[in-house]
Amino acid sequence: MIQNIFNILEKYGHVFLKGTWGTLYLSLIVVFFGTIVGALISLMKMSKFKPFSVIASVFVEIVRGTPILLQLYLFYYLGADLISNQLPDTFWVITALIVNSSAYVSEIFRAGIQAVDKGQFEASKSLGLSNAQMMRFIILPQAIKNILPALGNEFITMIKETSLASIFFINSLMTSEAIVSSTTHMKIESLIIVGIIYFIITFTLSKLLKKFEGRLQA
């Protein structure tokens, strides 16, 4: 088996390399846009304007209460049927992942903001700052210490969740595994290679994240 693994890597290493890049690229896009959307949703959820708060709360509960695979299928099929079938499949898969990520990121932002001492909010109001100024200059700079490490964990989680994109044959590690195993008929060996790559990526990022958290605490 070990010899087969080396033979596969020698012949199809470029396929796994392409899948690794696809997974990282997909994860970066999802977390980047998921962070922007999630931040807006968290602000809506904490808004004193009731309709915004209700809409954001319902959105978060629905997304967090349903499986990500179901969301992928819904966006993949409903998006093409109801909006446009001219858009590439990748667009709908990425959109579904962004929507899923934004719900979790919104809770990360909300928790990070609420962790800031209440006195900071009161002091900001006493200085006559508007809500936007308070969030921009006072609250978010303090909340960032709680938010950034959690966003790092979300990125690591998304790297693993993008494996579901292989169902729609989007470029990712699991798609590379499907291509190689169907060509070589060595399913176990291909899965082991992909598992090792996933472990190396997530383990490395976890260690870097811990160092980053240490610096933030310092």
Side-chain angles (χ1 to χ4, degrees):
M1 180 180 287
I2 295 177
Q3 186 60 48
N4 288 338
I5 289 174
F6 281 109
N7 291 338
I8 291 173
L9 284 173
E10 183 178 357
K11 193 171 183 179
Y12 299 99
H14 64 284
V15 179
F16 290 111
L17 188 62
K18 182 181 178 182
T20 301
W21 166 244
T23 292
L24 292 173
Y25 179 71
L26 196 61
S27 301
L28 283 169
I29 290 176
V30 170
V31 172
F32 177 76
F33 287 103
T35 299
I36 296 172
V37 177
L40 294 174
I41 292 170
S42 68
L43 293 176
M44 285 178 62
K45 193 171 181 179
M46 292 185 293
S47 173
K48 292 181 180 179
F49 185 56
K50 199 66 174 177
F52 281 177
S53 178
V54 170
I55 291 171
S57 297
V58 170
F59 170 82
V60 170
E61 292 303 323
I62 289 175
V63 173
R64 295 182 69 188
T66 54
I68 186 173
L69 186 56
L70 173 63
Q71 295 163 22
L72 283 165
Y73 276 121
L74 285 174
F75 273 87
Y76 186 81
Y77 291 110
L78 281 179
D81 290 342
L82 299 179
I83 300 177
S84 173
N85 57 7
Q86 301 300 316
L87 293 169
D89 297 342
T90 306
F91 173 83
W92 296 114
V93 172
I94 290 176
T95 301
L97 291 172
I98 289 172
V99 168
N100 180 271
S101 178
S102 66
Y104 290 91
V105 169
S106 69
E107 291 299 286
I108 291 172
F109 269 88
R110 187 177 63 84
I113 291 171
Q114 290 180 341
V116 176
D117 187 83
K118 298 296 182 184
Q120 299 294 319
F121 290 87
E122 295 170 2
S124 302
K125 289 296 182 182
S126 67
L127 290 172
L129 297 179
S130 65
N131 287 333
Q133 290 174 324
M134 176 181 68
M135 293 301 297
R136 181 181 176 185
F137 297 112
I138 307 297
I139 305 304
L140 284 179
Q142 296 181 65
I144 207 74
K145 287 196 297 183
N146 301 320
I147 293 172
L148 285 180
L151 283 179
N153 286 324
E154 175 64 17
F155 178 57
I156 293 172
T157 299
M158 190 49 61
I159 287 174
K160 292 180 283 187
E161 288 186 347
T162 52
S163 61
L164 295 171
S166 64
I167 296 172
F168 308 97
F169 221 68
I170 307 300
N171 182 32
S172 66
L173 269 170
M174 290 304 295
T175 304
S176 298
E177 184 279 324
I179 294 171
V180 173
S181 62
S182 64
T183 303
T184 62
H185 303 290
M186 297 181 184
K187 188 71 175 179
I188 300 298
E189 289 86 346
S190 299
L191 287 171
I192 289 173
I193 291 171
V194 168
I196 291 171
I197 294 173
Y198 269 119
F199 176 77
I200 291 172
I201 293 172
T202 55
F203 180 79
T204 303
L205 288 174
S206 295
K207 291 299 181 184
L208 291 174
L209 187 59
K210 282 185 178 179
K211 285 189 176 181
F212 181 65
E213 285 183 43
R215 290 195 174 188
L216 282 179
Q217 293 299 325

